[in-house]
Amino acid sequence: MPSSSPRRSPKPQERQRDPERTRQRILDAAAAEFSAHGYAGARVRAIAARAGVNQQLVSYYFEGKEGLYQAMSQQWRQRQHELTPPGTPIPEQLRRYALEALRSPEGVRMFAWSGLQYTGPDDDPDRASRAESLADSVDELRALQQAGGLPAEVDPAALLVMLMAAAMATTTLPHVIEGVCGTDPTSPELVEHFADQVAVLARLVGLDRA
């Protein structure tokens, strides 16, 4: 019988493939755990079990729960840049954020949990990066107001909070939506319709002039 071909050494990228896959499995498991229980309720042991890895690997790749949460927050910030590149009109930004309930329900639930479990700035692992992003959005609304696009009596910061709450309502108020609309709040048809309506609301208050 002909001899079998000698085994070749794996290339560097092939040697890295399994660690990269393991790291992503941990991130996916963490998204499910954080979305189900929030940061305070999530357990590294449960994340490791979901990912099918040893608990020590979570510490090896992410240095514990806070490092893992920061890695996921960084992924979300990257998603934000992809979702609303510079020049995207505010109504369209809100529509796209509302549609994240379909594309990334875990991410939206994690954000909602961060509010439910908020106890103050000293207990908020993602405070600095989020504050910077929100400040930019408020500045954008203030500039629009100064240009005459918003009534003087409107508080840009309060308006931003209201619009963010509206965009997240299919995740944070599903029982209200089901009661009012009489339909499944997680259905793609409802989420898409609701996202369109959030954009309509933004246009009605003048945000299409930004």
Side-chain angles (χ1 to χ4, degrees):
M1 294 179 63
S3 59
S4 59
S5 302
R7 295 178 62 188
R8 64 178 179 83
S9 298
K11 297 178 180 178
Q13 62 268 30
E14 292 174 328
R15 289 198 297 268
Q16 294 173 3
R17 197 169 292 161
D18 283 344
E20 290 171 358
R21 188 180 299 122
T22 298
R23 189 177 187 277
Q24 188 57 52
R25 273 210 317 271
I26 294 172
L27 284 171
D28 292 342
E33 180 71 8
F34 283 127
S35 72
H37 303 289
Y39 180 79
R43 296 290 179 264
V44 173
R45 182 181 305 166
I47 293 170
R50 285 179 185 268
V53 301
N54 188 293
Q55 186 174 338
Q56 292 176 334
L57 274 180
V58 179
S59 297
Y60 174 77
Y61 283 112
F62 301 101
E63 300 182 354
K65 186 166 77 167
E66 183 172 344
L68 183 53
Y69 191 86
Q70 292 290 355
M72 298 185 67
S73 296
Q74 185 176 2
Q75 281 192 336
W76 170 242
R77 288 192 292 274
Q78 178 60 37
R79 172 60 183 159
Q80 282 182 299
H81 292 310
E82 297 169 356
L83 199 63
T84 57
T88 305
I90 293 176
E92 178 61 17
Q93 291 183 35
L94 292 163
R95 190 186 75 85
R96 293 181 187 181
Y97 281 131
L99 288 173
E100 284 295 278
L102 293 177
R103 181 197 176 276
S104 179
E106 294 89 356
V108 181
R109 285 179 59 85
M110 277 179 56
F111 192 77
W113 267 113
S114 69
L116 289 172
Q117 297 180 334
Y118 182 76
T119 58
D122 294 334
D123 191 27
D124 186 353
D126 198 36
R127 177 177 179 269
S129 60
R130 183 170 59 251
E132 181 180 355
S133 174
L134 293 176
D136 289 343
S137 298
V138 172
D139 288 343
E140 186 176 358
L141 292 179
R142 285 197 177 114
L144 175 63
Q145 187 176 51
Q146 290 169 0
L150 282 176
E153 62 268 26
V154 171
D155 178 352
L159 177 60
L160 177 64
V161 173
M162 295 175 197
L163 291 172
M164 288 179 66
M168 293 180 62
T170 55
T171 297
T172 57
L173 295 173
H175 54 315
V176 174
I177 289 176
E178 187 166 23
V180 172
C181 302
T183 188
D184 178 3
T186 65
S187 71
E189 295 79 11
L190 183 282
V191 174
E192 289 168 3
H193 172 71
F194 194 84
D196 290 340
Q197 289 298 297
V198 173
V200 169
L201 175 62
R203 287 195 291 271
L204 286 175
V205 299
L207 296 185
D208 54 341
R209 304 183 190 123

